[in-house]
Amino acid sequence: MKTLSKILIILFILLSEINMHSQWVYEFSPYRQAVHYLNVVDTSIIWGIGDNSSGDAVIVRKLGSVWDWYDYTNLPSGNQLYSSIAGIDSNIAFVGSLTGKVYKTSDRGYDWTQILDAGNRWVFIKFSKINKSTGYIFCSNQFTTENFIIYKTTNYGNTWQTFTPNFGNYSAANKPSVWVTDSAHAWVALGCNSLQNCAGPKIAYTTNGGINWLTTSFVDGNRTGVSTLAFKSDNQFGMAVTYWFSQPINIWITTNGGSNWAFSRSFPIPINPTIINVPGTSVWYLGGTNPNTPSRAFIYKSSDDGASWFQMSTDDSTYDGFWDMDGIALNNKIHAWSIVWGGENYYNYMKILRLIDTVSVIGINNHGSNIPKEFRIEQNYPNPFNPTTKIRYALPKASIVKIVIYNVMGQVLKELVNEYKNAGNYDVAFDGTNLPSGIFFYRIETPYFSDSKKMVLIK
């Protein structure tokens, strides 16, 4: 009886923690300012860009546990003039405008210097959360079919390489709908260019660092653009949102890097939809606005790569709209922030909400919370095997991990793992059903460690 009581108490505590940490709660609101875009550098550094009712640019910044905002910068004035922000650390950040300008600050956002000018184009900036030295800037004209101007950096924005692809009658979507995982891989959501005829929604992407750009179209009724997209750090699994004015948005999923897409489901949030993946996890968040409901700001979550979704709660059910969202994983927790507003004048009611999610950050299987002291890959077990076996490996720190199966000729038979993973102990299963008896090899590769081992399949 005592044992049962203890179990019930533990379950109650766990459920209480889940409820507490799965709710979006109010954290900060700059007085009479509107924040439009957020960038989470880490749990103690967050940058935001917006404006006030006079049109002055507003910079919002969190350092440690303290939020601050200021509108006395030297950024040019203009209501909703700025389209994106990306921070490197607590001092350095980049801002993109709707007039083709890119500005940089090195003093926490007080002074800004123009570093790039892409002409009459909208500017969207994104840095990789896995390798923070790598970033892309997408600049496109919303009213002509001019070439894009795309800038790329691999040294924290100190220098930039330029590409000028042309995607026909398409421009970048009307919010920072770009995603970057590493130096080689970047994606941009495309919308039908104003006053042009388009063949449906489309995305553009590169797999070789911007040297070549590919496009993929969606067959999706009368929807004309992709408004937001995100990819996992394996560069294969991604989600994209197609839209058409007041109609529900459609979610599409790819498992091959964006070459092909399959329809998943719809959501009734046609305004400002934003989707993000938390690197190193299968967790996704989707936010947007439904103007036809009393409570119009909605945020949904999937913990299984879009197989299922549920609507999340907030500390106030009267928020009138959703604007933007960003998040990261740290110490087996997900930390995310979103922007919502309430009332008719969002300059008076803009709020930043925070989520600390209890979902553990796991790989294929993560054994325990003890952090290993060294990189290693163990002998598969059982060995010999028929037809399945498990391979365990350990990561003392977060890393991109690749595990590949080879035959005795050195030919790749299967890629078991190719993604970013947090520190921990993992295992992955291998099924040799379709292989003949024989000797095979498996190899782990990370930026810090590599090793190979032999295994034997006997049928």
Side-chain angles (χ1 to χ4, degrees), residues 189-210:
L190 300 178
C192 185
N193 211 307
S194 300
L195 306 179
Q196 304 293 334
N197 293 319
C198 299
K202 182 180 288 189
I203 70 162
Y205 63 101
T206 182
T207 60
N208 58 7

Side-chain angles (χ1 to χ4, degrees), residues 105-225:
T105 183
S106 299
D107 62 357
R108 299 190 176 188
Y110 296 105
D111 296 300
W112 296 80
T113 302
Q114 180 184 315
I115 61 168
L116 296 170
D117 188 347
N120 188 26
R121 291 174 171 86
W122 292 11
V123 177
F124 302 126
I125 308 172
K126 189 78 171 182
F127 275 75
S128 168
K129 290 188 182 299
I130 301 170
N131 183 353
K132 295 180 181 180
S133 64
T134 296
Y136 282 76
I137 302 176
F138 293 83
C139 313
S140 68
N141 194 307
Q142 304 300 110
F143 306 101
T144 71
T145 58
E146 292 180 84
N147 289 357
F148 272 58
I149 298 179
I150 300 175
Y151 303 100
K152 173 193 172 185
T153 182
T154 55
N155 57 9
Y156 300 96
N158 293 316
T159 59
W160 297 86
Q161 184 179 2
T162 306
F163 308 97
T164 56
N166 190 292
F167 301 130
N169 295 335
Y170 290 85
S171 59
N174 59 357
K175 64 183 306 181
S177 298
V178 297
W179 200 264
V180 177
T181 56
D182 54 41
S183 175
H185 296 86
W187 296 262
V188 56
L190 300 178
C192 185
N193 211 307
S194 300
L195 306 179
Q196 304 293 334
N197 293 319
C198 299
K202 182 180 288 189
I203 70 162
Y205 63 101
T206 182
T207 60
N208 58 7
I211 298 173
N212 302 106
W213 292 87
L214 307 170
T215 61
T216 301
S217 297
F218 296 74
V219 179
D220 193 12
N222 61 356
R223 288 170 173 78
T224 59

Side-chain angles (χ1 to χ4, degrees), residues 15-73:
L15 289 172
S16 298
E17 289 182 350
I18 289 170
N19 289 331
M20 178 181 68
H21 291 301
S22 295
Q23 183 183 40
W24 292 84
V25 297
Y26 166 78
E27 183 168 284
F28 176 69
S29 180
Y31 178 66
R32 299 182 67 85
Q33 318 294 323
V35 184
H36 301 309
Y37 303 110
L38 282 180
N39 175 234
V40 177
V41 180
D42 57 39
T43 56
S44 62
I45 303 173
I46 303 173
W47 289 85
I49 183 71
D51 53 46
N52 59 26
S53 57
S54 299
D56 301 317
V58 172
I59 296 297
V60 174
R61 189 174 61 90
K62 180 181 182 181
L63 182 58
S65 60
V66 178
W67 282 93
D68 197 6
W69 63 268
Y70 29 92
D71 55 7
Y72 43 85
T73 72

Side-chain angles (χ1 to χ4, degrees), residues 422-459:
N422 286 292
N425 296 286
Y426 297 87
D427 69 51
V428 57
F430 172 63
D431 188 340
T433 299
N434 298 322
L435 297 176
S437 297
I439 297 174
F440 300 90
F441 298 88
Y442 57 96
R443 180 174 179 81
I444 184 173
E445 293 183 358
T446 79
Y448 319 101
F449 169 81
S450 62
D451 192 14
S452 299
K453 290 187 180 297
K454 181 174 68 175
M455 58 183 177
V456 179
L457 171 62
I458 298 178
K459 292 185 174 180

Side-chain angles (χ1 to χ4, degrees), residues 280-298:
T281 79
S282 297
V283 177
W284 300 71
Y285 298 101
L286 171 68
T289 302
N290 184 339
N292 300 315
T293 57
S295 177
R296 305 194 298 179
F298 292 87

